Amino acid sequence: MPINASDNHLSEVGLGYRTVEYNGSKKTILAVIVRGTNSTIEEWASNFDIGDSSTFTSESDWEKLDNHKGFDIAANRILDIVDNYIAENESAEDFDNANISYWVTGHSRGAAIANIIGAYLKDRGDYAYTYTFAAPNTTFSANASSYDAIFNVVNSDDFVHFFL
């Protein structure tokens, strides 16, 4: 699902769910898979838009000043898509809306966005497990290391990891 926006802060996300039963308890696992940078100038421009605090406003899709602007905006837009997906599927017989666990993943730009999504989900009290690959830096937040269910696989020689 692509984000429909008139600016550079775009991405695509794949969503799917499966309801499983374990020890007599049902749980819906919702997969949120965020695609990495494609070859468009818009996404590359968003990758390099870390934000300017003088332009920050709480009325925009950029919700946390400590977060990289381009990644935060895309993450918030994808969260809206996820919430709409849940609303569309909550009446399905096999969908357990009251017991959802999120599995969030992405690579590169998708990993940066997935990290922010995972943090937002945990902040709102959801069960979220985030596994990312080659994620650039996403935040200056002092509590970033406190998220115990966000796992990043990073190649220390990857130049993107150092510069973004």
Side-chain angles (χ1 to χ4, degrees):
M1 267 180 218
I3 294 173
N4 294 319
S6 60
D7 57 27
N8 295 333
H9 308 298
L10 312 170
S11 192
E12 291 180 309
V13 62
L15 302 171
Y17 75 90
R18 179 144 190 125
T19 300
V20 297
E21 190 169 328
Y22 181 72
N23 286 341
S25 174
K26 280 177 54 174
K27 181 175 286 276
T28 296
I29 310 299
L30 180 60
V32 180
I33 301 113
V34 186
R35 183 194 32 78
T37 307
N38 64 16
S39 59
T40 65
I41 192 68
E42 290 86 6
E43 286 193 14
W44 279 104
S46 181
N47 286 346
F48 290 101
D49 187 357
I50 62 172
D52 174 358
S53 61
S54 68
T55 65
F56 180 78
T57 171
S58 61
E59 297 173 9
S60 71
D61 288 333
W62 182 20
E63 291 189 11
K64 286 194 177 175
L65 180 59
D66 286 344
N67 288 351
H68 178 290
K69 178 183 177 183
F71 301 152
D72 192 69
I73 290 173
N76 283 299
R77 291 174 178 170
I78 288 174
L79 273 173
D80 288 342
I81 291 170
V82 169
D83 291 340
N84 288 333
Y85 180 83
I86 291 169
E88 291 169 6
N89 287 285
E90 66 186 352
S91 62
E93 184 178 322
D94 64 336
F95 194 88
D96 187 357
N97 191 34
N99 202 8
I100 297 176
S101 287
Y102 297 85
W103 177 67
V104 186
T105 191
H107 170 260
S108 191
R109 172 182 173 77
I113 295 167
N115 276 333
I116 293 172
I117 291 170
Y120 279 139
L121 289 168
K122 293 295 275 185
D123 288 347
R124 70 184 196 185
D126 292 320
Y127 292 101
Y129 304 91
T130 304
Y131 299 89
T132 69
F133 303 88
N137 294 324
T138 61
T139 188
F140 290 109
S141 177
N143 70 335
S145 63
S146 69
Y147 293 99
D148 60 354
I150 296 177
F151 304 94
N152 295 294
V153 178
V154 177
N155 177 348
S156 61
D157 292 332
D158 184 351
F159 75 94
V160 171
H161 176 70
F162 292 112
F163 295 110
L164 290 178

